Amino acid sequence: MNRPEVEFWFEFASTYSYPSAMRIAEAAAARQVTVRWRPFLLGPIFAGLGWSTSPFLLQQAKGRYMWHDVGRTCARLGLAFHRPAIFPQHTVLAARLALVGADAAWGPAFVRGVFAANFADGADISDRGVLGAALERAGADATSCLEAAGRADIKQGLRDQGAEAERLGIFGAPSFIAAGDLYWGHDRMIEALEHAARSATGRGPP
Amino acid sequence: MNRPEVEFWFEFASTYSYPSAMRIAEAAAARQVTVRWRPFLLGPIFAGLGWSTSPFLLQQAKGRYMWHDVGRTCARLGLAFHRPAIFPQHTVLAARLALVGADAAWGPAFVRGVFAANFADGADISDRGVLGAALERAGADATSCLEAAGRADIKQGLRDQGAEAERLGIFGAPSFIAAGDLYWGHDRMIEALEHAARSATGRGPP
């Protein structure tokens, strides 16, 4: 039987995507599940709801809770976390680069590097210098990747990815697709991985 | 040292409050934690955000996901669940009754009975007959409780409860307060109980 797969839909501006991005590779490997890394932008989905920005800014109480909760979640996971001065960040270039690397060996390390730059280091992840450094640290060639990210097919590819997210019923990040089922939120990452593993082996209830 | 306590803030119309209401008593008892049952209404909080109804109706994709996700969550917990025809229900009378019973022996059984009427039996929980039956099954006197629920001090008490929820930073249900910390969502119930237990004994990190 094929190795089970989980699609990991993430947005670089999304606070709860950070712990998932940092931990999904090892959690998936432990369950013999392959991760398919799928960057997308939440902005167009929020705009479709009539929202001009993150719901964490539009709803102040929810925003206050979120910063506290993400902080304690990262502490529990042993992940560095500092509330960034810029929120939400502009992530279109970072997402295009993640799409360039979607099937490359450097892809996951680049994604982790950008998330850490945003939520541990407080860097501006719309900055080409910051992104170039993350590419090089992940083992990619920054110049050619940044050039590729400006190509029409990559720009269109990211728009297509967003349209696919909407078709899949995705409305927030992180989201996971496991054996056709949608799971929303970092809290559901393990459940999604276990659902994928179980569905592939045919063991136990769905 | 005092026995640790968790405040359980719930709304009878809230889908994710249902699994918490049905499972919190045993989960808390297993950790030597006392539950303080705190009914409140989400309507005024949502109205303060400019919303006329549940976000699950305002955001269709999120609503579709929620019904699927609550169903599989209940299945995992062995809880009956049927998507109710009425959503969200009018819960002001039920919440006033829960406040009448907040410190009574029949209180928790009444709360569970109303949640089951809503999410397992598809009953109209704004109906006095449905609520009266739930009171009787919980061991309360329906006539005197329904009379008490109409008293000015109970009506004001529920409004005060809502104001306190907002002061505590509560923006959704279920919510839990454990050792001064807010936890939102059924997914965080166990974490809240364990935080309360740990804080009381002084064992381990917060």
Side-chain angles (χ1 to χ4, degrees), chain A residues 121 126-127 141 154:
Chain A
D121 307 333
S126 69
D127 185 271
D141 178 67
I154 290 295

Side-chain angles (χ1 to χ4, degrees), chain A residues 16 49 51 58-59 61-62 65 68-69 72-73 76 169-171 181-184 187-188 191, chain B residues 16 49 51 58-59 61-62 65 68-69 72-73 76 169-171 181-184 187-188 191:
Chain A
Y16 287 105
L49 293 165
W51 301 347
L58 298 173
Q59 302 172 48
K62 195 173 195 170
Y65 171 78
H68 179 62
D69 186 62
R72 73 184 166 198
T73 297
R76 205 175 50 238
I170 289 172
F171 54 89
D181 248 21
L182 173 62
Y183 294 82
W184 171 52
D187 288 338
R188 295 307 176 87
E191 196 179 326
Chain B
Y16 288 104
L49 293 165
W51 302 346
L58 298 173
Q59 301 172 48
K62 195 172 195 169
Y65 172 78
H68 179 64
D69 185 61
R72 73 186 166 198
T73 297
R76 204 174 50 237
I170 289 172
F171 55 89
D181 247 21
L182 173 61
Y183 294 82
W184 171 52
D187 288 339
R188 297 303 176 87
E191 193 178 328

Side-chain angles (χ1 to χ4, degrees), chain B residues 151-176:
Chain B
R151 285 196 330 245
D153 62 317
I154 291 295
K155 291 181 177 179
Q156 185 58 46
L158 187 60
R159 283 191 290 268
D160 292 347
Q161 195 102 318
E164 188 178 347
E166 289 210 63
R167 248 187 341 264
L168 290 166
I170 289 172
F171 55 89
S175 288
F176 310 88

Side-chain angles (χ1 to χ4, degrees), chain A residues 17-206:
Chain A
S17 292
Y18 168 53
S20 291
M22 303 309 272
R23 291 296 182 252
I24 194 168
E26 59 192 311
R31 292 165 180 84
Q32 283 81 51
V33 171
T34 298
V35 179
R36 191 166 166 212
W37 298 71
R38 309 215 62 181
F40 75 118
L41 300 178
L42 273 174
I45 290 177
F46 289 167
L49 293 165
W51 301 347
S52 55
T53 183
S54 162
F56 294 128
L57 295 183
L58 298 173
Q59 302 172 48
Q60 288 181 17
K62 195 173 195 170
R64 272 193 301 273
Y65 171 78
M66 179 276 287
W67 290 114
H68 179 62
D69 186 62
V70 167
R72 73 184 166 198
T73 297
C74 289
R76 205 175 50 238
L77 296 170
L79 277 179
F81 175 78
H82 297 103
R83 180 173 171 171
I86 316 166
F87 180 81
Q89 297 226 31
H90 291 288
T91 54
V92 62
L93 179 55
R96 285 175 185 158
L97 286 166
L99 196 57
V100 169
D103 299 314
W106 56 265
F110 169 72
V111 171
R112 285 188 291 267
V114 174
F115 272 110
N118 187 354
F119 295 112
D121 307 333
D124 176 352
I125 62 164
S126 69
D127 185 271
R128 295 175 75 87
V130 168
L131 293 170
L135 286 164
E136 295 286 342
R137 270 196 306 272
D141 178 67
T143 307
S144 66
C145 288
L146 283 162
E147 192 180 282
R151 286 198 326 246
D153 63 316
I154 290 295
K155 291 180 177 178
Q156 184 58 45
L158 187 61
R159 282 191 291 268
D160 292 347
Q161 194 105 316
E164 187 178 347
E166 288 211 63
R167 246 186 343 262
L168 289 167
I170 289 172
F171 54 89
S175 288
F176 309 88
I177 304 277
D181 248 21
L182 173 62
Y183 294 82
W184 171 52
H186 174 68
D187 288 338
R188 295 307 176 87
M189 180 179 80
I190 299 298
E191 196 179 326
L193 292 170
E194 293 186 341
H195 180 61
R198 213 165 36 221
S199 300
T201 58
R203 266 188 275 116

Side-chain angles (χ1 to χ4, degrees), chain B residues 124-168:
Chain B
D124 176 352
I125 62 164
S126 70
D127 184 272
R128 295 174 75 86
V130 167
L131 292 169
L135 287 163
E136 295 286 343
R137 270 196 307 271
D141 178 67
T143 307
S144 66
C145 288
L146 283 162
E147 192 179 283
R151 285 196 330 245
D153 62 317
I154 291 295
K155 291 181 177 179
Q156 185 58 46
L158 187 60
R159 283 191 290 268
D160 292 347
Q161 195 102 318
E164 188 178 347
E166 289 210 63
R167 248 187 341 264
L168 290 166

Side-chain angles (χ1 to χ4, degrees), chain B residues 48-69:
Chain B
L49 293 165
W51 302 346
S52 56
T53 184
S54 163
F56 294 128
L57 295 183
L58 298 173
Q59 301 172 48
Q60 288 181 16
K62 195 172 195 169
R64 270 193 302 272
Y65 172 78
M66 179 276 287
W67 289 113
H68 179 64
D69 185 61

